[in-house]
Amino acid sequence: MGELLAQLLPEMIGLILTPGAILGCILLLRSQRPAASAGAFGAGFCLVYVFIAVSALLGGASDPDATAPEVSHGAGLVVGILFLIAAVWLSVRPRRQRAEHPTVLRELETAGPRRAFAIGVMLGVLNPNLFIMMSGMSIIASSPVGTINALLASLLLLLSASLDFLIPIGAFLAAGERARAALDTAEAWMLGHTRILTLAMLYCFGALFTVRGITNLI
């Protein structure tokens, strides 16, 4: 189990570092129903990851003989290549003249819990971290750890993904109105650095997954 967790560490870190999820959560924590709306947004986002985990477990992720290690390494390699392609594409795109929320995130400025949940599901499907979750589940599927450990490893991946929401919401509930100034600062900083944060994530994890995949397949 310890070896499996070491292999999943890049995936867990990648799932925690989701700029769009964090920024969306911060936006909702400044709405009229902060905790409910941000919680619904996070629930919608994580529902996508739960679906992937359950599908993988039911498809044999708990059976080490169901998936060959080569398949797992190949999946990680594909994720790495896709990240690098996305990073290059984003690098050559013209920069925006001024920092502003992406179109989807602007919808959150007036969203209630139901709408926030729907947007969370949509962003969960469109977010590149979806492939990180798939990579993590493929690693679990090819590891000889048994059903219980496979389930625990899957829960750790889901917990990592949920920290994007649990930490901001928890801080807001603990600090109350005093957290609004910090949220404003965090939102402004992330909005001004969204491009560099996204590029750093795509290049770093793209290179990591690509090198790891090639190394394991050789």
Side-chain angles (χ1 to χ4, degrees):
M1 182 63 176
E3 181 180 350
L4 174 59
L5 294 181
Q7 293 176 352
L8 290 175
L9 186 59
E11 276 76 10
M12 288 189 287
I13 295 175
L15 289 171
I16 294 173
L17 302 177
T18 311
I22 299 171
L23 184 55
C25 187
I26 290 174
L27 282 172
L28 287 166
L29 287 174
R30 299 172 62 230
S31 65
Q32 292 183 345
R33 300 180 62 186
S37 297
F41 176 69
F45 215 105
C46 292
L47 180 63
V48 178
Y49 295 130
V50 171
F51 178 78
I52 294 172
V54 171
S55 298
L57 289 171
L58 293 178
S62 58
D63 181 4
D65 297 323
T67 303
E70 291 76 13
V71 175
S72 170
H73 302 325
L77 177 60
V78 170
V79 171
I81 293 173
L82 289 175
F83 273 33
L84 290 176
I85 292 173
V88 172
W89 176 76
L90 183 59
S91 297
V92 300
R93 281 186 64 192
R95 294 188 179 185
R96 294 178 179 177
Q97 295 300 318
R98 60 188 180 87
E100 59 181 11
H101 296 132
T103 303
V104 177
L105 291 182
R106 284 202 298 269
E107 296 291 325
L108 292 174
E109 295 177 346
T110 57
R114 291 184 181 180
R115 193 175 179 187
F117 177 81
I119 295 175
V121 172
M122 181 176 65
L123 285 179
V125 172
L126 299 177
N127 197 280
N129 280 17
L130 181 75
F131 297 105
I132 294 182
M133 184 68 186
M134 291 179 178
S135 174
M137 292 309 301
S138 71
I139 292 175
I140 295 173
S142 62
S143 300
V145 293
T147 302
I148 300 299
N149 287 332
L151 178 59
L152 290 175
S154 301
L155 291 175
L156 284 176
L157 287 177
L158 293 173
L159 176 61
S160 299
S162 67
L163 289 179
D164 290 329
F165 314 99
L166 293 178
I167 292 176
I169 294 173
F172 176 81
L173 293 176
E177 290 299 321
R178 293 174 297 173
R180 291 196 179 274
L183 291 174
D184 290 341
T185 301
E187 178 189 346
W189 186 86
M190 290 196 68
L191 188 58
H193 296 82
T194 296
R195 180 185 176 90
I196 188 64
L197 289 173
T198 303
L199 282 173
M201 187 195 78
L202 290 174
Y203 274 120
C204 289
F205 287 100
L208 174 62
F209 291 158
T210 299
V211 171
R212 185 180 67 179
I214 293 174
T215 302
N216 290 331
L217 287 173
I218 294 177

